[in-house]
Amino acid sequence: MCHSKYFEIIIFRLQVIEGSDNPLQEVVSVKGQKKDAEENIIEIKDLRKIYKVGNETVVALNNINITIKKGEICCFLGTSGSGKSTLLNMMAGLEKPTKGTIKIAGWDVEKLSEKKLALFRQNHIGFIFQSYNLMTFSNALENVAMPLIFKGMGRKKRNKAAKEMLKAVGLEDRINHRPSEMSGGQQQRVGIARAFVAKPEIVFADEPTGNLDSKTSKDVMDMIVEMATQYNQTLIIVTHDLSVSKYAHRVFHILDGDIDKIEVCS
Amino acid sequence: MKKFDLIRMALGNLWRRKVRTVLTILGVLIGTASITLMLSLGFGIDQSYRGSLERMGSLNVIQVYNYYGGGYYMEKSVSVRGSGGGGGGGDSETKKLNDATCEEIEAIPGVQAVLRMLDTSVKFGSGRYVAWGQLLGINPEAMEYFDFVVDKGRLLTENDTTAIVFGSDVPRNFYNPKDRRSNWWGYSQDTEPSVNVLKDRLIMTFDMSYGEPQHSPTEGKRPKRYHVEGVGLLSWEGSMNYSWYAIANIDYVKKIIKENERMQGNRRRNQETIYNQIKVRVEDLDEVVNVQNAIKDMGFQTYSLNDQMVEMQKTSRVIQAVLGGIGAISLLVAALGITNTMVMSIYERTKEIGIMKVLGCLLKDIKNMFLIESGLIGFIGGIVGGVFSIGASVLLNKFLAPALMGRMGYGVQVDKISIIPSWLLLAVVVFSTFVGLISGYSPARRAMKLTALTAIRTE
């Protein structure tokens, strides 16, 4: 099952590369040569998170130990309340763990100050949300260029990069449209373009298809996986959707704050 | 993040909520305009005070008198001794207002010129007409510094002897003592003077009964008659303070006074001239007080219009403070408006701020973006308020000033009741921007401290 899906992706990818003169290709290949493919980009040790709600304590994550390699596509699969979103939030530095360490791309995420966290996110992380989280008053181009603005990139350069990104997700004719003028699938594709525009090493996707129908979900997932593969980026997907988990190399089943089992497909 | 991008984003955010932004700016406009206008009224009052004082004479001039009333002087010298511990505590001998003292005063830093004034009563005659007059001897080289403005003819020069410059009211004093209808007090402003002092032959004498039908008996010899020549006539407006004087070179006046004393049997030789009064002109208005104090320390009584000016300035400072305070209250209200707008804006943009944080926006950029927004509200409000106040000020001066003109009474000149100096406009814009930044500071910090997590969860 996993096999056939992956084969499909490879074919799709080849089509894309042949069909377009993608200038990013070069960068990718250079990067791929430099970096060791077997390098561990995410190391999570003894991670524990406890929430205090009134007098009760809720164990969101019990004891998580995960190592993820560069370029790997991983999926955290679980029901709502299993703790999978908490895990994602802690990896992105949005929440502090109660115990344990998270090391991502050489940064000790749990120890970072707010300022360092911002720099960490600027340089290493892309984010895809369930509810897209686009800037409602900005058009597609501005939304995609936003992470580059925060990095301090000049206007011409970032608009060029954003346009290329929008072209790659097939929205070159929607550049000046606002989120309210686009369908859910189109909005999510803007979200994908935004997540990948700064070429982060890791992209987090939190229920990326949660608001989409099955046909669009498939398109969107194909696109995310294809991009991550193309740039040799690590992709972490959090979902409760089994069909989404099939895109992953490894699937972590999360249950009540623990890793229930790990499924390896390849 | 680049500064340009920050400003562009801030402007975009303001533009997105046009109505609220405009209303908040309107509040700042009212605040800054009321401060500017209130202060401008204060400046207008100041200016009209100054204008009316300047018409009375130059503010740079200090009048110096001899001390007469010994009591006051004694009292003062005692107190000086008491506090000064004896060290140079007052001269035992009263200092006199003589030439030596004048030179001493001339040496005080900041003094531009000293006008020595020696006056005596004389009588003028021209043909059938005579006039009582006050002859004022002055040092001609100082004339240009002390409001001597000629209407006709010229001022005195150092080589003049019998030349006389007449004050504007003197020619009207001539009357015919043999004509009952003509009296020295009966002159009218409208009629032409009987004597043309610049052309007609003039005689000057210390003999007060000269030309009168009945000579009062005088002791000693009859005083000498001098032929004098009128060379100038002062303008009334320019030299109001000298309108009753006939002005001559001080050396000449000294000479004829001595001559007269000798003739009257007063044999004291080489008696020193002591002036009743001298005037001191100070080059810089700010130095007046210092020079005045220096002269007071020498033991003389002084008076200057600047004394009055200082009093008036104190009054107008109070008025300005009160008016400015009223204006400041409305700016304070405007500042609360800015804070309110920014807080509202943060509530609305919680999610947006969260997304920005997740996308890697630095905290300082978020804070700066909000500060720029509130600062811009203050800045724009300040500029629009400044423009508005200029317009209002022009209208006030055009329509309200003429109405007030008649009410302030004689001596208070009302040209403009509202004056806005350019530095005030600049200061108001800077201040309102500052107020905007202050008002936006706490909301900006609040936005900065929002956690990205709660921000993206907000739906």
Side-chain angles (χ1 to χ4, degrees), chain A residues 5 75-77 84 88 127-132 184-189 191-192 204-225 235-247:
Chain A
K5 191 80 207 172
C75 178
F76 295 109
L77 188 68
K84 59 186 192 308
L88 184 79
F127 237 104
I128 300 168
F129 306 92
Q130 176 177 2
S131 52
Y132 328 128
Q186 285 172 332
Q187 286 188 54
Q188 191 58 300
R189 279 193 275 167
I192 293 165
F204 294 112
D206 187 2
E207 301 274 13
T209 58
N211 286 6
L212 303 171
D213 60 57
S214 58
K215 166 78 177 62
T216 322
S217 291
K218 187 179 173 298
D219 291 347
V220 162
M221 277 316 296
D222 286 347
M223 190 171 284
I224 294 174
V225 170
L235 179 62
I236 310 287
I237 308 165
V238 167
T239 187
H240 65 272
D241 189 346
L242 270 172
S243 63
V244 170
S245 72
K246 281 162 192 155
Y247 287 87

Side-chain angles (χ1 to χ4, degrees), chain B residues 98-332:
Chain B
N98 53 20
D99 283 323
T101 313
C102 286
E103 273 156 30
E104 211 174 308
I105 289 172
E106 266 166 359
I108 296 173
V111 171
Q112 198 172 24
V114 172
L115 185 75
R116 303 166 195 205
M117 297 167 78
L118 180 65
D119 67 321
T120 179
S121 296
V122 291
K123 197 150 189 190
F124 290 102
S126 176
R128 282 172 294 152
Y129 299 96
V130 295
W132 274 292
Q134 200 69 14
L135 183 66
L136 176 68
I138 51 109
N139 41 333
E141 79 280 358
M143 256 184 139
E144 58 174 310
Y145 298 110
F146 291 93
D147 297 329
F148 290 95
V149 182
V150 281
D151 190 22
K152 289 172 190 154
R154 61 168 175 91
L155 287 178
L156 296 176
T157 67
E158 282 182 65
N159 300 326
D160 280 328
T161 50
T162 57
I164 287 184
V165 170
F166 287 97
S168 55
D169 286 330
V170 178
R172 293 203 194 87
N173 290 355
F174 282 94
Y175 66 97
N176 183 354
K178 288 165 184 132
D179 183 355
R180 288 184 179 204
R181 283 169 299 176
S182 160
N183 278 314
W184 62 270
W185 65 85
Y187 77 92
S188 139
Q189 298 244 357
D190 305 324
T191 54
E192 273 295 304
S194 333
V195 174
N196 184 339
V197 290
L198 296 182
K199 281 187 181 156
D200 297 347
R201 284 165 58 90
L202 290 171
I203 280 173
M204 183 176 77
T205 176
F206 290 108
D207 179 8
M208 288 302 141
S209 56
Y210 170 82
E212 300 293 335
Q214 279 147 19
H215 282 198
S216 52
T218 43
E219 287 171 37
K221 288 183 193 165
R222 171 158 301 175
K224 201 175 162 185
R225 291 173 194 175
Y226 302 94
H227 288 280
V228 291
E229 178 194 2
V231 294
L233 187 65
L234 296 177
S235 83
W236 187 81
E237 271 152 20
S239 320
M240 240 196 293
N241 293 326
Y242 307 106
S243 67
W244 290 93
Y245 285 115
I247 299 142
N249 192 331
I250 195 160
D251 296 331
Y252 177 65
V253 177
K254 276 182 190 168
K255 191 188 112 192
I256 62 171
I257 287 175
K258 269 191 186 149
E259 224 169 63
N260 187 45
E261 277 174 353
R262 261 204 308 280
M263 285 177 81
Q264 300 307 315
N266 190 338
R267 293 277 167 194
R268 277 183 293 164
R269 288 289 171 100
N270 298 328
Q271 199 194 2
E272 189 182 39
T273 311
I274 292 169
Y275 306 107
N276 289 341
Q277 185 193 352
I278 62 169
K279 288 187 179 180
V280 178
R281 187 183 170 93
V282 182
E283 190 159 14
D284 188 353
L285 197 57
D286 300 330
E287 286 285 309
V288 172
V289 178
N290 295 340
V291 173
Q292 201 170 350
N293 287 337
I295 297 171
K296 271 182 190 160
D297 288 345
M298 291 167 74
F300 297 109
Q301 199 171 16
T302 61
Y303 168 80
S304 75
L305 283 174
N306 200 50
D307 291 347
Q308 244 173 304
M309 187 68 196
V310 169
E311 281 306 307
M312 283 179 170
Q313 269 171 346
K314 273 185 200 161
T315 318
S316 85
R317 289 283 168 281
V318 173
I319 295 172
Q320 278 174 28
V322 170
L323 293 178
I326 293 170
I329 289 170
S330 45
L331 191 62
L332 182 73

Side-chain angles (χ1 to χ4, degrees), chain B residues 349-360:
Chain B
R349 281 150 67 183
T350 304
K351 184 172 179 170
E352 200 180 297
I353 296 161
I355 299 168
M356 286 170 68
K357 279 192 164 180
V358 173
L359 296 183

Side-chain angles (χ1 to χ4, degrees), chain A residues 51 89 94-95 114-115 118-119 121-122 127 129 131 133-135 137 142-143 146-147 149-155 158 194, chain B residues 1-2 4-5 8-9 16-17 351-353 355-365 448 451-453 456-459:
Chain A
Y51 289 111
N89 289 338
L94 299 174
E95 279 183 88
E114 281 286 334
K115 189 187 172 183
L119 292 172
R121 291 182 195 129
Q122 270 181 16
F127 237 104
F129 306 92
S131 52
N133 277 344
L134 301 177
M135 296 285 183
F137 292 94
E142 287 161 350
N143 264 295
M146 194 138 297
I149 294 181
F150 298 149
K151 281 179 104 165
M153 191 182 281
R155 192 172 179 169
R158 67 172 188 247
R194 183 177 67 182
Chain B
M1 221 171 147
K2 293 205 157 127
F4 177 76
D5 286 322
R8 209 173 49 91
M9 278 178 93
R16 246 153 67 182
R17 282 168 285 267
K351 184 172 179 170
E352 200 180 297
I353 296 161
I355 299 168
M356 286 170 68
K357 279 192 164 180
V358 173
L359 296 183
C361 187
L362 292 173
L363 293 188
K364 107 176 174 259
D365 287 337
M448 189 179 90
T451 80
L453 193 63
I456 47 170
R457 271 184 192 156
T458 312
E459 289 298 326

Side-chain angles (χ1 to χ4, degrees), chain A residues 59-71:
Chain A
V59 179
L61 290 174
N62 191 17
N63 189 15
I64 305 280
N65 286 284
I66 302 173
T67 311
I68 296 170
K69 289 191 175 64
K70 185 166 170 57

Side-chain angles (χ1 to χ4, degrees), chain B residues 22 32 216 250 255 282 298 335 359 370 373 398 419 424 454:
Chain B
V22 166
T32 50
S216 52
I250 195 160
K255 191 188 112 192
V282 182
M298 291 167 74
L359 296 183
F370 278 91
E373 282 176 37
K398 197 167 183 185
I419 293 168
L424 177 65
T454 50

Side-chain angles (χ1 to χ4, degrees), chain B residues 24-25 27-28 331-344 370 373-379 432-433 435-441 443:
Chain B
T24 315
I25 287 176
V28 180
L331 191 62
L332 182 73
V333 175
L336 294 177
I338 296 178
T339 307
N340 187 34
T341 298
M342 295 314 291
V343 170
M344 288 288 287
F370 278 91
E373 282 176 37
S374 63
L376 272 174
I377 291 178
F379 178 71
S432 65
T433 310
V435 166
L437 289 174
I438 294 278
S439 315
Y441 188 73

